[in-house]
Amino acid sequence: MRADRLVSLVLLLRQRGRLTAAELADELEVSTRTVLRDIEALSVAGVPVYAERGRHGGFALLPGFRTELTGLNHDEALALLVAGSRRGAQAFGLGSALASAMLKVVDALPASYRDTAAGVAERLLIDPETDLLSRRLVAEEVPGTISAEIRRAVLAGNKLRIHYAAVDRDPKWRTVDPIGLVIVRDQGYLLATRSGADRTYRLSRVLAAEVLPEPAQRSERVDLDLAWQERSTRFRRGGDQIAVLVRVNPARREELVSTALDIRTEELDAEGRLRLEVTFQDSRHAEWALWQLGTDAEALAPLSLRTSLRERATAIADRYRE
């Protein structure tokens, strides 16, 4: 950890010039005393860092000093900077490592490209915290110690013991064979097997994690994208599925079918409207999907769905009646 911090300190001085001990401490998230010890260690190691006294003083490197790092070209570094701006690293507990890596990427560029790369943060924004409707997109918080243990088990191929709090259940300890980690809309998931059966665990519900010495029972290679699609399909097809006959404006067809599990039948009626028989995960899912379409869609069957939609519309009308 200290070696990484020393490299980060050098890179900060390379890119920003003179910085005070307090500024360095703030950037590195350590105390000023730690910064002073690190400066002394760098000097002993031969790094030409020196102190300037006075009101505008601080620490700086001798002009012309350059670290030998990766030698990336301009486009390669830009690609890494863009990828590194995504928040997935936070969910995997790699936020501080990502920040350090980005410093190294920028420093590795030729001098003529460095300013351009540094400006990427000003010109490209990936996954902002709110969308155009000001809806806040909140990433789930996973303690660093937990994410580090889970990540270590996944990469090392060892069994993992987790204290997991499933929805509406008391937390229980489980021993699993980890397969991989997935981020979906800032929510992290652990794909694993338990007693040979596929399991998917939400990282934010893991209360504690412990890597075990035994090797995990898993194949050498895995297609995480395919594994996620298969589990997603099984999840969506679970529950109390309901078949719904819908009459919908053709212009809104895609919105309807994108929320349904599948389409059983589809035809155009005499008035130019589409009649589809689609399935939803359950009645609540069906009611929500049709409510989004307003008067552009009508549930023809089952009667229970028509009743729930009518009661919902009546409650809204009563609320706004003068």
Side-chain angles (χ1 to χ4, degrees), residues 13-214:
L13 294 177
R14 278 274 304 127
Q15 294 168 24
R16 302 192 190 179
R18 187 184 302 108
L19 291 171
T20 66
E23 290 169 334
L24 287 168
D26 184 59
E27 289 287 344
L28 298 173
E29 298 182 351
V30 296
S31 66
T32 54
R33 180 176 298 179
T34 298
V35 167
L36 295 175
R37 285 200 300 264
D38 288 347
I39 292 290
E40 182 178 358
L42 289 172
S43 297
V44 171
V47 177
V49 58
Y50 66 96
E52 290 188 355
R53 307 291 182 184
R55 179 181 175 186
H56 301 291
F59 296 99
L61 295 169
L62 287 177
F65 175 76
R66 179 169 177 79
T67 55
E68 295 295 332
L69 290 173
T70 62
L72 296 171
N73 66 35
H74 180 249
D75 288 345
E76 289 171 341
L78 284 181
L80 287 175
L81 286 168
V82 171
S85 65
R86 301 185 67 86
R87 295 196 298 272
Q90 301 296 334
F92 288 152
L94 294 171
S96 59
L98 175 62
S100 176
M102 290 303 100
L103 285 171
K104 296 176 183 178
V105 168
V106 173
D107 193 79
L109 287 172
S112 58
Y113 292 148
R114 203 170 301 128
D115 291 340
T116 302
V120 165
E122 300 176 0
R123 301 295 179 180
L124 301 176
L125 178 62
I126 312 295
D127 285 345
E129 291 187 355
T130 59
D131 62 14
L132 285 175
L133 298 179
S134 295
R135 294 175 297 194
R136 189 172 181 83
L137 309 175
V138 181
E140 295 183 333
E141 295 293 332
V142 182
T145 54
I146 293 177
S147 58
E149 281 292 282
I150 295 174
R151 187 175 68 247
R152 190 158 66 92
V154 169
L155 299 182
N158 285 21
K159 286 183 177 293
L160 178 68
R161 190 166 176 259
I162 58 174
H163 195 212
Y164 190 73
V167 178
D168 299 327
R169 296 183 184 178
D170 293 331
K172 291 177 59 178
W173 283 98
R174 297 169 168 85
T175 298
V176 303
D177 297 298
I179 294 174
L181 292 167
V182 177
I183 292 292
V184 181
R185 296 186 179 89
D186 290 330
Q187 295 176 356
Y189 297 88
L190 167 67
L191 272 57
T193 60
R194 184 159 63 95
S195 300
D198 288 346
R199 294 288 185 268
T200 303
Y201 301 100
R202 196 145 158 182
L203 296 185
S204 61
R205 294 177 184 155
V206 179
L207 306 180
E210 176 188 3
V211 180
L212 301 179
E214 301 95 326

Side-chain angles (χ1 to χ4, degrees), residues 160-319:
L160 178 68
R161 190 166 176 259
I162 58 174
H163 195 212
Y164 190 73
V167 178
D168 299 327
R169 296 183 184 178
D170 293 331
K172 291 177 59 178
W173 283 98
R174 297 169 168 85
T175 298
V176 303
D177 297 298
I179 294 174
L181 292 167
V182 177
I183 292 292
V184 181
R185 296 186 179 89
D186 290 330
Q187 295 176 356
Y189 297 88
L190 167 67
L191 272 57
T193 60
R194 184 159 63 95
S195 300
D198 288 346
R199 294 288 185 268
T200 303
Y201 301 100
R202 196 145 158 182
L203 296 185
S204 61
R205 294 177 184 155
V206 179
L207 306 180
E210 176 188 3
V211 180
L212 301 179
E214 301 95 326
Q217 296 180 2
R218 66 183 192 182
S219 61
E220 290 296 322
R221 304 295 299 273
V222 62
D223 185 339
L224 270 188
D225 188 43
L226 178 60
W228 177 257
Q229 290 181 32
E230 291 174 346
R231 295 184 187 209
S232 177
T233 299
R234 286 199 297 270
F235 175 79
R236 288 186 292 108
R237 293 187 181 280
D240 302 320
Q241 291 186 24
I242 181 174
V244 178
L245 182 61
V246 184
R247 188 167 180 262
V248 64
N249 182 340
R252 308 293 297 277
R253 176 190 181 279
E254 293 306 316
E255 292 177 63
L256 173 67
V257 300
S258 66
T259 60
L261 297 181
D262 58 50
I263 305 171
R264 295 185 177 181
T265 62
E266 180 175 355
E267 63 181 6
L268 194 65
D269 67 15
E271 297 179 8
R273 292 250 172 170
L274 286 173
R275 283 178 178 253
L276 297 94
E277 185 179 7
V278 294
T279 57
F280 292 98
Q281 189 169 342
D282 51 34
S283 57
R284 291 178 61 187
H285 180 200
E287 181 180 338
W288 172 86
L290 292 176
W291 185 262
Q292 311 308 307
L293 300 176
T295 57
D296 281 332
E298 178 187 0
L300 303 177
L303 179 60
S304 59
L305 179 59
R306 288 180 61 88
T307 300
S308 62
L309 285 167
R310 182 179 66 249
E311 291 174 349
R312 187 172 186 175
T314 299
I316 293 292
D318 288 345
R319 175 62 58 87

